[in-house]
Amino acid sequence: MPTDSRRIAGPAETQNPYTLVKEDEKRKIPLLIDSEGRRCDARHTDQVRPIFLKAGVVSQAKGSAYIEMDKTKIICAVYGPRQVLKREEFSMKGQLKCEFKFATFSGRSRRQYQQDAQEKDYSVILLEALEPAVRLEKFPKAQIDIFVSVLEDDGSVLAGSITAASVALADAGIEMYDLVVGCSLRQYGEQVLMDPCAAEEFKLGSVNSTSSVNEGSVTVGLLPSLHQISALAQKGELEYQVAVSAIKMCVEACQKIYPVLQQCLIKAVKKKLQEQS
């Protein structure tokens, strides 16, 4: 029987590597805050992770951006404006189309190639966050496609996607009222964890979540120059005053992140001008 000499011969039988993890380690509840007030990655409770942001990373796209927040890695590409298909409804305003997708290798559990319910929800929230910032009346009968891919998921992917998509739109030369900055917050009882990683994120039914109130997370999309909130997503159960305080803290964090976006776009514009000259 002929064989494929280029194919790497793998073992006949395989098994999930997580089956080798001890049961007590699987059930172990991670400590979110230690006795010194430090988190699992040695950050303070009100400290965000270092951000690396670069525009113009996808040469085939009209605009693109890549963002790293510690181990969270997200890439975004923008295509268009292009003509809307005839079968769609006529509109004098342009249309935004957002597609959010986790890479199959982005987390511990393998993701599917087709969008699941979480990815569809994130696509809708991303669209709602970006639409108020884009001047859609400048693109009548046209459509702008935004594709967001999460390469590695270590928490706060929705906030990072909002930021990356905003920079990608600006890099594509799309007229906007303002950039959109995303930030997430984890409410853990009386403790507040800004920009949570994967181990700190709130998940219904997880070992970190309880049935008591003030257990949840908040994600905010902010237009910093206009000081307007374009998106707000909440998980869990929070009291009114706690939720208001969490939103204010997210807004303050977005204002601190805003100069990073400005410097990123300035570098991208300088690079384009050098290439043209």
PDB file of all heavy atoms in Angstrom, residues 28 40 46 48 68 72 77 86 130 133 169 186 188 199 205 217 268:
ATOM      1  N   LYS A  28      -9.719  22.261  42.738  1.00  0.00           N
ATOM      2  CA  LYS A  28      -9.130  23.285  43.596  1.00  0.00           C
ATOM      3  C   LYS A  28      -9.625  24.663  43.192  1.00  0.00           C
ATOM      4  O   LYS A  28      -9.601  25.036  42.027  1.00  0.00           O
ATOM      5  CB  LYS A  28      -7.606  23.231  43.498  1.00  0.00           C
ATOM      6  CG  LYS A  28      -6.903  24.221  44.420  1.00  0.00           C
ATOM      7  CD  LYS A  28      -5.411  24.091  44.281  1.00  0.00           C
ATOM      8  CE  LYS A  28      -4.691  25.084  45.173  1.00  0.00           C
ATOM      9  NZ  LYS A  28      -3.225  24.999  45.032  1.00  0.00           N
ATOM     10  N   CYS A  40      -3.495  36.755  41.318  1.00  0.00           N
ATOM     11  CA  CYS A  40      -2.741  35.567  40.915  1.00  0.00           C
ATOM     12  C   CYS A  40      -1.556  35.916  40.016  1.00  0.00           C
ATOM     13  O   CYS A  40      -0.589  35.148  39.938  1.00  0.00           O
ATOM     14  CB  CYS A  40      -3.657  34.563  40.217  1.00  0.00           C
ATOM     15  SG  CYS A  40      -4.513  35.231  38.764  1.00  0.00           S
ATOM     16  N   ASP A  46      -6.691  47.213  41.372  1.00  0.00           N
ATOM     17  CA  ASP A  46      -7.115  48.269  40.452  1.00  0.00           C
ATOM     18  C   ASP A  46      -6.144  48.461  39.289  1.00  0.00           C
ATOM     19  O   ASP A  46      -6.185  49.487  38.613  1.00  0.00           O
ATOM     20  CB  ASP A  46      -7.255  49.589  41.209  1.00  0.00           C
ATOM     21  CG  ASP A  46      -5.957  50.015  41.873  1.00  0.00           C
ATOM     22  OD1 ASP A  46      -5.036  49.175  41.984  1.00  0.00           O
ATOM     23  OD2 ASP A  46      -5.862  51.184  42.299  1.00  0.00           O
ATOM     24  N   VAL A  48      -4.475  47.436  35.605  1.00  0.00           N
ATOM     25  CA  VAL A  48      -4.711  46.744  34.338  1.00  0.00           C
ATOM     26  C   VAL A  48      -3.411  46.123  33.850  1.00  0.00           C
ATOM     27  O   VAL A  48      -2.322  46.526  34.264  1.00  0.00           O
ATOM     28  CB  VAL A  48      -5.286  47.694  33.272  1.00  0.00           C
ATOM     29  CG1 VAL A  48      -6.610  48.270  33.714  1.00  0.00           C
ATOM     30  CG2 VAL A  48      -4.296  48.817  32.968  1.00  0.00           C
ATOM     31  N   GLU A  68      -2.232  42.912  22.502  1.00  0.00           N
ATOM     32  CA  GLU A  68      -1.826  41.934  23.518  1.00  0.00           C
ATOM     33  C   GLU A  68      -2.061  42.546  24.888  1.00  0.00           C
ATOM     34  O   GLU A  68      -1.613  43.667  25.160  1.00  0.00           O
ATOM     35  CB  GLU A  68      -0.350  41.555  23.374  1.00  0.00           C
ATOM     36  CG  GLU A  68      -0.055  40.550  22.300  1.00  0.00           C
ATOM     37  CD  GLU A  68       1.391  40.067  22.344  1.00  0.00           C
ATOM     38  OE1 GLU A  68       2.062  40.323  23.386  1.00  0.00           O
ATOM     39  OE2 GLU A  68       1.854  39.456  21.382  1.00  0.00           O
ATOM     40  N   THR A  72      -3.498  37.509  26.678  1.00  0.00           N
ATOM     41  CA  THR A  72      -4.628  37.658  25.770  1.00  0.00           C
ATOM     42  C   THR A  72      -4.145  38.299  24.466  1.00  0.00           C
ATOM     43  O   THR A  72      -3.589  39.389  24.493  1.00  0.00           O
ATOM     44  CB  THR A  72      -5.735  38.510  26.403  1.00  0.00           C
ATOM     45  OG1 THR A  72      -6.224  37.845  27.573  1.00  0.00           O
ATOM     46  CG2 THR A  72      -6.881  38.705  25.431  1.00  0.00           C
ATOM     47  N   ALA A  77      -9.324  42.689  11.602  1.00  0.00           N
ATOM     48  CA  ALA A  77      -9.157  43.161  10.230  1.00  0.00           C
ATOM     49  C   ALA A  77     -10.454  43.807   9.762  1.00  0.00           C
ATOM     50  O   ALA A  77     -11.546  43.328  10.081  1.00  0.00           O
ATOM     51  CB  ALA A  77      -8.767  42.014   9.304  1.00  0.00           C
ATOM     52  N   LYS A  86     -27.600  43.368  -3.480  1.00  0.00           N
ATOM     53  CA  LYS A  86     -28.906  43.852  -3.923  1.00  0.00           C
ATOM     54  C   LYS A  86     -30.056  43.278  -3.102  1.00  0.00           C
ATOM     55  O   LYS A  86     -31.093  43.913  -2.941  1.00  0.00           O
ATOM     56  CB  LYS A  86     -29.105  43.520  -5.396  1.00  0.00           C
ATOM     57  CG  LYS A  86     -28.167  44.284  -6.324  1.00  0.00           C
ATOM     58  CD  LYS A  86     -28.450  43.949  -7.781  1.00  0.00           C
ATOM     59  CE  LYS A  86     -27.507  44.723  -8.701  1.00  0.00           C
ATOM     60  NZ  LYS A  86     -27.766  44.397 -10.135  1.00  0.00           N
ATOM     61  N   LEU A 130     -19.467  49.744  18.401  1.00  0.00           N
ATOM     62  CA  LEU A 130     -18.770  50.479  17.343  1.00  0.00           C
ATOM     63  C   LEU A 130     -19.693  51.375  16.526  1.00  0.00           C
ATOM     64  O   LEU A 130     -19.252  52.395  15.995  1.00  0.00           O
ATOM     65  CB  LEU A 130     -18.057  49.490  16.415  1.00  0.00           C
ATOM     66  CG  LEU A 130     -16.946  48.649  17.052  1.00  0.00           C
ATOM     67  CD1 LEU A 130     -16.429  47.627  16.063  1.00  0.00           C
ATOM     68  CD2 LEU A 130     -15.810  49.528  17.550  1.00  0.00           C
ATOM     69  N   ALA A 133     -19.830  55.179  17.059  1.00  0.00           N
ATOM     70  CA  ALA A 133     -18.590  55.909  16.813  1.00  0.00           C
ATOM     71  C   ALA A 133     -18.310  56.132  15.335  1.00  0.00           C
ATOM     72  O   ALA A 133     -17.472  56.973  14.983  1.00  0.00           O
ATOM     73  CB  ALA A 133     -17.413  55.172  17.452  1.00  0.00           C
ATOM     74  N   LEU A 169     -10.559  50.251  12.560  1.00  0.00           N
ATOM     75  CA  LEU A 169     -11.409  51.151  11.773  1.00  0.00           C
ATOM     76  C   LEU A 169     -10.696  52.474  11.483  1.00  0.00           C
ATOM     77  O   LEU A 169     -10.753  52.990  10.360  1.00  0.00           O
ATOM     78  CB  LEU A 169     -12.715  51.415  12.524  1.00  0.00           C
ATOM     79  CG  LEU A 169     -13.765  50.301  12.515  1.00  0.00           C
ATOM     80  CD1 LEU A 169     -14.880  50.609  13.501  1.00  0.00           C
ATOM     81  CD2 LEU A 169     -14.341  50.127  11.116  1.00  0.00           C
ATOM     82  N   ARG A 186     -14.168  42.744  37.296  1.00  0.00           N
ATOM     83  CA  ARG A 186     -14.742  41.596  37.995  1.00  0.00           C
ATOM     84  C   ARG A 186     -15.083  41.996  39.413  1.00  0.00           C
ATOM     85  O   ARG A 186     -14.216  42.443  40.168  1.00  0.00           O
ATOM     86  CB  ARG A 186     -13.747  40.437  37.999  1.00  0.00           C
ATOM     87  CG  ARG A 186     -14.060  39.304  38.974  1.00  0.00           C
ATOM     88  CD  ARG A 186     -15.177  38.415  38.469  1.00  0.00           C
ATOM     89  NE  ARG A 186     -15.076  37.085  39.024  1.00  0.00           N
ATOM     90  CZ  ARG A 186     -15.705  36.647  40.111  1.00  0.00           C
ATOM     91  NH1 ARG A 186     -16.507  37.477  40.764  1.00  0.00           N
ATOM     92  NH2 ARG A 186     -15.553  35.416  40.531  1.00  0.00           N
ATOM     93  N   TYR A 188     -16.005  40.824  42.983  1.00  0.00           N
ATOM     94  CA  TYR A 188     -15.875  39.619  43.799  1.00  0.00           C
ATOM     95  C   TYR A 188     -16.222  39.985  45.238  1.00  0.00           C
ATOM     96  O   TYR A 188     -15.360  40.263  46.069  1.00  0.00           O
ATOM     97  CB  TYR A 188     -14.451  39.079  43.691  1.00  0.00           C
ATOM     98  CG  TYR A 188     -14.198  37.813  44.467  1.00  0.00           C
ATOM     99  CD1 TYR A 188     -14.899  36.647  44.194  1.00  0.00           C
ATOM    100  CD2 TYR A 188     -13.229  37.775  45.462  1.00  0.00           C
ATOM    101  CE1 TYR A 188     -14.661  35.492  44.901  1.00  0.00           C
ATOM    102  CE2 TYR A 188     -12.966  36.627  46.174  1.00  0.00           C
ATOM    103  CZ  TYR A 188     -13.689  35.484  45.893  1.00  0.00           C
ATOM    104  OH  TYR A 188     -13.442  34.332  46.606  1.00  0.00           O
ATOM    105  N   ALA A 199      -8.498  33.205  34.903  1.00  0.00           N
ATOM    106  CA  ALA A 199      -8.757  32.581  36.194  1.00  0.00           C
ATOM    107  C   ALA A 199      -9.646  33.433  37.084  1.00  0.00           C
ATOM    108  O   ALA A 199     -10.271  32.920  38.018  1.00  0.00           O
ATOM    109  CB  ALA A 199      -7.434  32.294  36.907  1.00  0.00           C
ATOM    110  N   GLY A 205     -21.891  29.139  37.430  1.00  0.00           N
ATOM    111  CA  GLY A 205     -21.697  27.740  37.768  1.00  0.00           C
ATOM    112  C   GLY A 205     -20.263  27.336  37.989  1.00  0.00           C
ATOM    113  O   GLY A 205     -19.976  26.167  38.205  1.00  0.00           O
ATOM    114  N   SER A 217     -19.470  40.449  36.594  1.00  0.00           N
ATOM    115  CA  SER A 217     -18.483  41.203  35.824  1.00  0.00           C
ATOM    116  C   SER A 217     -19.190  42.257  34.989  1.00  0.00           C
ATOM    117  O   SER A 217     -20.368  42.117  34.641  1.00  0.00           O
ATOM    118  CB  SER A 217     -17.674  40.272  34.912  1.00  0.00           C
ATOM    119  OG  SER A 217     -18.515  39.661  33.963  1.00  0.00           O
ATOM    120  N   ALA A 268       1.363  54.494  13.288  1.00  0.00           N
ATOM    121  CA  ALA A 268       0.898  53.895  12.035  1.00  0.00           C
ATOM    122  C   ALA A 268       0.854  54.922  10.914  1.00  0.00           C
ATOM    123  O   ALA A 268       1.233  54.630   9.774  1.00  0.00           O
ATOM    124  CB  ALA A 268      -0.488  53.273  12.245  1.00  0.00           C
TER     125      ALA A 268
END
